[in-house]
Amino acid sequence: MNPWNSATDALSTSSGIRLGLRENIGQFSLLVLSNMLVGMMLGLERIVVPLIGEKEFGLVSKTAIVSFIVSFGITKAICNLFAARLSETAGRRKVLVIGWLIGLPVPFIIIFANRWVWFDFANVLLGVNQALCWSMTVIMKADLVGPRRRGLALGLNEFAGYIAVGFTAWITGYIASVYALRPQPFYLGIGVAFAGLLLSWFFAKETRHYATLEAKLHHPSAPAFASGRDPASARHGSLRETFALASWKDRNLFSCSQAGLVNNLNDGMSWGIYPLFFSSLGLGVAAIGTIKAIYPAAWGALQVLTGPLSDRCGRKWLIAGGMIVHAGGIWLTVMIPHYSAWIVAALLQGIGTAMVYPTLLAAISDVAHPEWRATTMGVYRFWRDLGYAIGALISGIIADFLGMRAAIQVVAVLTLLSGLHVAFRMRETLVGKR
């Protein structure tokens, strides 16, 4: 008999709740649907907005065009940090609902904006929406399933979100090719925002008490000992202490944080530079939309496999290998300027990110104690999503001075170096695979 199952059954008898995917399939499925809507909000901008900056507003500077990604990335990173901490006191569901309320004006602002600064403001709101809503769907799923199926659960979460990003990128590109860059593609966003708000307000349930149940079964985690602190005090550390632990004190958490940052750094470059790069080589909006949709679609679909694979084979080598595969896909984009090569490159980038994304979340959950897991995940997501801003800014500046090809190549090098760091410095986090 599995001792974890026995302990869970004993506690669930008195508390009325049980950890597990099957035991909480209804609420888990609702959170999967909710994250699909969160992903659709992000997918609205993946193709169309950079082209609006260039074609409607006449922006020449690539740094100016990608400014909306910088505002998005910085806002989302900061809000990730505090949303996770807030969810430990105010509750997960409240934070989820607030995130949808803040995201509601975004499509309206983009439709009616007459100055580029309004796009920056809309992306501040979108950053808050994505931070609060995506963070909560991740944390709430981790609460519900417990430790045994966490890779599968987080793989399903990221699958739903990024399949939705890819689909929405493709459909908005198609709509823009048939009608115009705006307003038609953003009518979809109005329906998505209202649906997300109503679903969260009326049907989502609080999950914080599931984390409390898991905490009663949890053994002291590695970072508490690695940092020389008492495990009990590590469970109740301040935000400052947890930030230091997840950012540089613990080698595994640092490896995860830097890999997450670089992974979104290359996504920030892809978001801002790829549409302009492909357009400069003569591709139309619909063809760009197809390339840009393949990356998140492959990334999303394959996470259903890579998440549970990490539960069986371990986290470290999936992360390291995924970063290296992604670097190869980025290089292929500039080395062979042909449509079929760009399709293959997008697939490679999707495969690489699918190997990395749910596995990093699972590795963080392996290391962090349940009582400070949400805060630790918030610190990781702070660094990860700061990568959007850093990637957009670096690639925009390099593109202005050296060209878009150079910007893409620099990001490929950074991605390769990040994977090598994980290979040589990170330890395996999955119990039984160390």
Side-chain angles (χ1 to χ4, degrees):
M1 180 179 293
N2 189 319
W4 175 269
N5 289 342
S6 301
T8 303
D9 289 342
L11 281 172
S12 63
T13 301
S14 59
S15 65
I17 62 172
R18 294 186 67 183
L19 300 174
L21 179 56
R22 184 178 301 173
E23 291 82 353
N24 299 289
I25 191 64
Q27 191 63 200
F28 187 92
S29 299
L30 183 141
L31 290 169
V32 170
L33 177 58
S34 178
N35 207 47
M36 289 184 71
L37 296 171
V38 180
M40 290 181 77
M41 288 291 289
L42 184 60
L44 288 170
E45 298 194 348
R46 302 292 285 197
I47 309 299
V48 179
V49 171
L51 298 176
I52 291 174
E54 185 176 61
K55 298 181 185 300
E56 288 194 17
F57 288 86
L59 298 178
V60 176
S61 167
K62 304 302 184 289
T63 307
I65 292 174
V66 301
S67 63
F68 76 97
I69 304 174
V70 176
S71 61
F72 168 83
I74 292 174
T75 303
K76 187 170 187 282
I78 294 171
C79 289
N80 277 337
L81 187 61
F82 293 101
R85 190 67 169 183
L86 180 63
S87 76
E88 293 182 334
T89 55
R92 324 300 202 202
R93 179 184 170 274
K94 289 181 181 177
V95 177
L96 182 64
V97 171
I98 291 169
W100 278 113
L101 286 169
I102 293 171
L104 198 59
V106 170
F108 294 98
I109 295 172
I110 292 175
I111 287 171
F112 294 107
N114 58 359
R115 295 185 179 181
W116 189 247
V117 68
W118 284 108
F119 283 82
D120 292 332
F121 177 68
N123 276 273
V124 168
L125 298 182
L126 183 64
V128 178
N129 163 261
Q130 293 289 304
L132 271 57
C133 294
W134 204 306
S135 291
M136 289 310 103
T137 60
V138 168
I139 291 168
M140 292 167 83
K141 287 185 182 73
D143 290 342
L144 290 171
V145 302
R148 289 187 299 133
R149 306 297 294 278
R150 186 167 287 139
L152 173 61
L154 297 176
L156 288 170
N157 184 81
E158 303 303 288
F159 160 80
Y162 285 100
I163 280 288
V165 172
F167 168 77
T168 311
W170 173 78
I171 197 66
T172 52
Y174 174 76
I175 293 170
S177 71
V178 173
Y179 297 100
L181 292 175
R182 60 176 181 160
Q184 289 86 353
F186 298 97
Y187 292 153
L188 176 63
I190 296 172
V192 169
F194 276 106
L197 176 60
L198 294 175
L199 189 70
S200 302
W201 197 314
F202 290 106
F203 299 103
K205 296 179 182 178
E206 181 55 56
T207 64
R208 188 173 38 162
H209 46 293
Y210 287 83
T212 302
L213 172 64
E214 185 185 345
K216 295 177 182 178
L217 309 172
H218 190 82
H219 296 291
S221 60
F225 297 108
S227 59
R229 298 165 58 201
D230 176 72
S233 68
R235 296 174 189 173
H236 302 284
S238 66
L239 176 59
R240 179 183 296 179
E241 292 173 315
T242 307
F243 187 90
L245 193 65
S247 299
W248 61 81
K249 284 189 175 181
D250 181 77
R251 67 190 295 176
N252 281 344
L253 292 177
F254 169 76
S255 294
C256 290
S257 293
Q258 68 82 24
L261 185 150
V262 174
N263 193 78
N264 272 12
L265 181 151
N266 56 50
D267 194 35
M269 177 278 296
S270 168
W271 185 354
I273 298 298
Y274 275 1
L276 304 176
F277 176 70
F278 295 136
S279 179
S280 72
L281 296 175
L283 284 191
V285 178
I288 296 171
T290 299
I291 297 172
K292 287 288 291 174
I294 286 171
Y295 166 40
W299 167 3
L302 291 173
Q303 287 177 109
V304 178
L305 301 176
T306 57
L309 181 63
S310 77
D311 289 335
R312 292 177 175 270
C313 301
R315 322 293 193 197
K316 172 179 175 174
W317 293 108
L318 272 174
I319 297 168
M323 297 300 287
I324 293 169
V325 169
H326 197 139
I330 297 171
W331 255 315
L332 182 59
T333 302
V334 291
M335 295 301 293
I336 305 178
H338 190 274
Y339 186 74
S340 59
W342 294 330
I343 295 292
V344 174
L347 279 171
L348 287 175
Q349 289 169 75
I351 292 167
T353 304
M355 294 167 67
V356 169
Y357 232 67
T359 312
L360 284 170
L361 290 169
I364 295 288
S365 298
D366 292 339
V367 174
H369 188 280
E371 291 186 10
W372 46 273
R373 180 175 61 216
T375 301
T376 308
M377 205 171 282
V379 175
Y380 159 72
R381 288 170 66 84
F382 166 82
W383 288 115
R384 191 191 72 183
D385 290 330
L386 195 61
Y388 281 120
I390 295 172
L393 194 59
I394 288 175
S395 59
I397 292 171
I398 294 173
D400 281 335
F401 284 95
L402 300 176
M404 289 186 283
R405 289 179 181 275
I408 295 169
Q409 289 173 329
V410 167
V411 170
V413 171
L414 293 175
T415 306
L416 175 62
L417 292 176
S418 175
L420 293 175
H421 173 91
V422 172
F424 288 106
R425 290 289 297 164
M426 184 177 175
R427 297 190 181 104
E428 180 54 61
T429 65
L430 184 64
V431 175
K433 298 295 179 181
R434 295 170 183 165

